Amino acid sequence: IRALTSKYNEAKRIRESRLSLLKRIESGSDELFQQSLNAMVAAIRLYGQDKLMLSFNGGKDATAVLYLTIAASAKYMIETGQQHNARINAVYFFDPKNDFEGTYEFVEETCNENGITLTVLECGYKHGVEGLVSKGYKAFVIGTRSTDPNGKSGEFYCPSSKGWPAFMRINPIINW
């Protein structure tokens, strides 16, 4: 019974944390942020949280997208009347030779604190995405902005490139 109570309390803490984040975001954010939040809610509605994968490398843009995804998940939960926390999936492409010291730990701790299911892959991005698409993931949430080399489309939703498996790139901060 203690283990069940502990799991219940942790789920409750995560739910309250997600709802609190959403409330703070909605009460003080600008139009660009609201557009990004709405684009993420639409992606969740279209693909479902079980087919959506957040690419999280611990960088500043990826961290902003992580918290935006958490807020969008909470908003979707409210809109659909869900009573439980929807699982948020994240992938970290770990490169022990090139990652900054402490990045792996930051990624892992951030996901654990926020109730995010983390998959760590020690392979190239394309190979990893191929494997995830073969497991049924349909869309990847990434932290691309319009000023980034691959952000020229300026669109929230962008299909994968030629030579890649078919999936949708979700770019919620493209216009920041």
Side-chain angles (χ1 to χ4, degrees):
I1 290 181
R2 226 181 296 186
L4 286 176
T5 302
S6 178
K7 285 183 180 184
Y8 171 80
N9 288 337
E10 180 64 9
K12 183 178 176 184
R13 182 196 66 78
I14 290 169
R15 177 183 170 85
E16 289 172 358
S17 173
R18 289 178 181 183
L19 293 171
S20 175
L21 175 66
L22 174 63
K23 188 175 184 178
R24 288 191 317 267
I25 287 172
E26 288 187 322
S27 68
S29 59
D30 63 12
E31 185 178 333
L32 280 179
F33 203 92
Q34 289 301 320
Q35 289 173 359
S36 297
L37 181 64
N38 291 334
M40 275 304 307
V41 171
I44 292 169
R45 188 177 303 113
L46 181 62
Y47 294 101
Q49 300 228 150
D50 60 329
K51 303 293 182 199
L52 199 64
M53 179 64 80
L54 168 68
S55 180
F56 183 54
N57 65 6
K60 65 184 182 339
D61 291 340
T63 301
V65 170
L66 177 133
Y67 286 106
L68 185 64
T69 302
I70 291 168
S73 177
K75 186 171 183 172
Y76 182 75
M77 186 174 60
I78 291 169
E79 288 178 358
T80 59
Q82 292 180 8
Q83 296 301 312
H84 64 282
N85 296 323
R87 185 170 75 175
I88 297 174
N89 300 299
V91 61
Y92 172 49
F93 294 95
F94 179 58
D95 183 352
K97 293 179 185 170
N98 295 311
D99 284 359
F100 292 113
E101 185 177 329
T103 301
Y104 181 89
E105 292 80 7
F106 173 76
V107 167
E108 190 173 54
E109 287 173 22
T110 302
C111 288
N112 285 338
E113 288 172 8
N114 290 286
I116 295 172
T117 303
L118 178 64
T119 300
V120 178
L121 299 177
E122 195 170 332
C123 62
Y125 193 78
K126 184 176 182 183
H127 180 72
V129 167
E130 288 171 341
L132 292 167
V133 168
S134 73
K135 291 180 179 179
Y137 289 98
K138 306 270 184 221
F140 292 82
V141 183
I142 55 179
T144 300
R145 294 197 261 175
S146 61
T147 55
D148 292 340
N150 295 325
K152 303 298 182 223
S153 74
E155 301 291 329
F156 286 119
Y157 313 106
C158 181
S160 56
S161 304
K162 184 178 180 179
W164 285 67
F167 68 92
M168 187 65 71
R169 289 184 181 98
I170 311 297
N171 304 304
I173 64 169
I174 193 79
N175 296 320
W176 289 20

